Amino acid sequence: MSLRRGSPLDGLRVTDAAWMRRALFHAGRAIGNTSPNPMVGAVVVSSDGLVVGEGRHHRAGEPHAEVHALDEAGAAARGATLYVTLEPCCHTGRTGPCTRRILDAGVVRVVAAMPDPNRLVSGRGFEQLRAHGVSVDIGLGRQQAERLNRGFLSVQSRGRPFVMLKAATSLDGCIAAAVGRRTNLTSTEANRRTHLLRASVDAIGVGSGTILVDDPLLTVRECHRVSRLARVVFDRRLRTPPHARLLSTVDHGPVIILTGETAATAAPARVRALEEAGAEVVPTPGDLRASLTLLVARGILTLLVEGGGALHDAFWAMGLVDEVHLVVAPVVLGSAGVPLMGGRPFPRAALDLTLVEPRGPDTWIEADVYRAR
């Protein structure tokens, strides 16, 4: 990494970049497990350049990354530098303030990737450290740290989860061979990648049409996930049947059915049957944006919207998609095929391509979405 002279990072030692990369690595090891908290990694380096402690935040309610790293360092933390991917907290929540722990350990310098946007911290952690003589540098590795915690940042700034749209299409841009027909498009290799993606988010979202046509399980398979995965059904008309296969998987995580208030009031027996099958039925008076706010209250920071076409179209039309995952299979479905999002194209100016790679015979494409929200 090169440091521009006169930048906020000017004067940092070149090795700082290596230590921050190590802290970011530890933060990333907790993907999918820390919500509603952010992912954070920390590394303690002694004055003679030795790593004496490192750690990550494992899950909400447990010690923060700084505490794990400082506990491992012990007395060797005195006079050391702490590299951390997020501003240390300075308030008491489920755990005590990390700033107090840093000061007590005798750390003389803190290098942090980014400030904490949480209003309870938001620069106060840095101020407290500086007020007690600790040197603080901010910004090294910020882009990577922000990308790791896009869900946390989305909730803090917009009050809604970070939304990923994922779809599989044919070469002619169709998601199914015909309306109401279950169509398997993707290969085993692409399906494995889908399960890895599921393992990285807090919740999967589908529409009621997907439940009726595909009857999916929506679980994580072929890879490990520590925390429970929420499944969200956007079902305005309350069409989800109590015998849906999804409801046989509540031991994997909650099943949340977001429905209209009118539909819930008109069908109390259906609501009871769904609840007895293990679902949480949540009437919502508003649109998709209001529904996403309800998910935040349930600790969901990231949502993977897997289908179907009508739900994809609704999310895109309302400007609620932050990232696109598109799997293109080498088949043509023809004129009877159901087009992705009703044929609505993704505006090229709205997409920043980040990945194109083969997955077996399929092509996996990822892009960030940039537009007014």
Side-chain angles (χ1 to χ4, degrees), residues 174-347:
C174 294
I175 59 174
V179 175
R181 182 186 300 179
R182 182 174 182 175
T183 307
N184 293 320
L185 285 174
T186 52
S187 63
T188 299
E189 294 87 348
N191 292 340
R192 288 191 183 119
R193 178 67 181 85
T194 294
H195 284 287
L196 286 171
L197 182 59
R198 287 180 177 182
S200 73
V201 299
D202 298 326
I204 302 171
V206 297
S208 58
T210 295
I211 298 296
L212 294 173
V213 174
D214 295 340
D215 198 17
L217 291 171
L218 300 180
T219 54
V220 173
R221 301 183 292 280
E222 299 188 39
C223 60
H224 180 64
R225 179 185 174 89
V226 175
S227 59
R228 286 156 54 85
L229 174 68
R231 279 70 55 75
V232 181
V233 183
F234 293 86
D235 186 3
R236 181 171 50 86
R237 291 174 284 174
L238 199 59
R239 299 190 298 165
T240 301
H243 61 267
R245 290 204 305 160
L246 175 62
L247 293 171
S248 70
T249 69
V250 292
D251 56 322
H252 290 258
V255 175
I256 304 166
I257 300 176
L258 299 175
T259 190
E261 289 185 331
T262 301
T265 301
R270 171 62 67 92
V271 172
R272 283 196 301 274
L274 288 168
E275 290 177 340
E276 288 172 359
E280 179 187 2
V281 180
V282 182
T284 172
D287 56 15
L288 282 177
R289 198 178 301 275
S291 297
L292 291 180
T293 301
L294 295 175
L295 297 183
V296 170
R298 287 159 174 79
I300 294 172
L301 306 187
T302 51
L303 173 69
L304 177 64
V305 180
E306 291 201 10
L311 189 64
H312 284 158
D313 188 38
F315 267 90
W316 184 266
M318 291 193 67
L320 297 174
V321 178
D322 303 303
E323 184 176 87
V324 172
H325 295 254
L326 195 63
V327 190
V328 182
V331 298
V332 175
L333 294 179
S335 58
V338 180
L340 174 67
M341 298 200 311
R344 181 197 298 268
F346 291 114

